[in-house]
Amino acid sequence: MKIRTGFGYDVHQLREGLPFWLGGIQIPHTHGALGHSDADVLIHVICDALLGAANLRDIGFHFPDTDPQYKGIDSKRLLSEVVRLLRERGYTIGNIDSTVCLEQPKVNPHIPAMQATLAEVMGIPADDISIKATTTEKLGFVGRQEGVAAYATVLIVKP
């Protein structure tokens, strides 16, 4: 059995008037993340961690922001494609551990819905997806509410 780990990190600016997508769901807020796709920072770090674990480069390699077909795309579609790439290579997802860094809005009330959505997209149990949230105690770009950051580690397995 081959066991591999991967790590992902991403940030997005927050801008007034944009929809805020996180973990595959839209969260009501005055500001949303700016990006070429729907800017779902949580899905992006999970994609990067999974791709890295399988040594398949990164999200920008597979879905470049210079390609108009990805403009405004639902990041769940990107995640689905990443999972397909892993399965083609014989990997299954063991677990995902992630952290979202954000001052506002509060993320904790939305975690169960995000877990359910991500589990459905990836075809894994929601219990295998850990999502945690923290602030930066008003320090840095996250603390000033200028952006959102996220981290993820994953475990993938090939029998």
Side-chain angles (χ1 to χ4, degrees):
M1 176 181 341
K2 182 178 245 181
I3 299 172
R4 298 179 68 131
T5 63
F7 173 77
Y9 169 74
D10 195 19
V11 300
H12 283 279
Q13 291 181 42
L14 292 174
R15 294 278 174 89
E16 190 171 359
L18 294 176
F20 187 51
W21 288 94
L22 190 65
I25 66 168
Q26 188 173 359
I27 297 175
H29 191 52
T30 58
H31 289 66
L34 179 66
H36 186 69
S37 66
D38 64 6
D40 189 322
V41 69
L42 182 55
I43 288 182
H44 293 180
V45 297
I46 291 170
C47 287
D48 262 351
L50 291 169
L51 290 166
N55 195 20
L56 292 173
R57 301 198 53 177
D58 61 30
I59 193 170
F61 177 79
H62 291 275
F63 315 107
D65 63 6
T66 55
D67 190 332
Q69 75 174 314
Y70 302 118
K71 179 71 176 158
I73 195 168
D74 181 338
S75 291
K76 292 186 294 289
R77 290 181 54 199
L78 306 180
L79 180 57
S80 179
E81 177 64 14
V82 167
V83 171
R84 186 191 66 74
L85 289 170
L86 263 62
R87 289 190 177 136
E88 274 183 358
R89 285 157 181 80
Y91 289 105
T92 58
I93 299 169
N95 74 298
I96 295 166
D97 183 26
S98 63
T99 302
V100 176
C101 303
L102 185 67
E103 294 292 328
Q104 291 292 329
K106 293 300 180 192
V107 173
N108 277 318
H110 305 284
I111 288 175
M114 289 188 282
Q115 287 173 307
T117 298
L118 295 171
E120 183 177 334
V121 171
M122 292 185 282
I124 64 174
D127 282 351
D128 290 341
I129 305 167
S130 168
I131 302 171
K132 303 176 303 296
T134 190
T135 68
T136 59
E137 300 296 328
K138 304 204 184 305
L139 297 173
F141 71 88
V142 171
R144 291 187 302 271
Q145 299 184 47
E146 297 169 354
V148 56
Y151 303 84
T153 58
V154 302
L155 179 83
I156 61 172
V157 180
K158 184 187 283 188

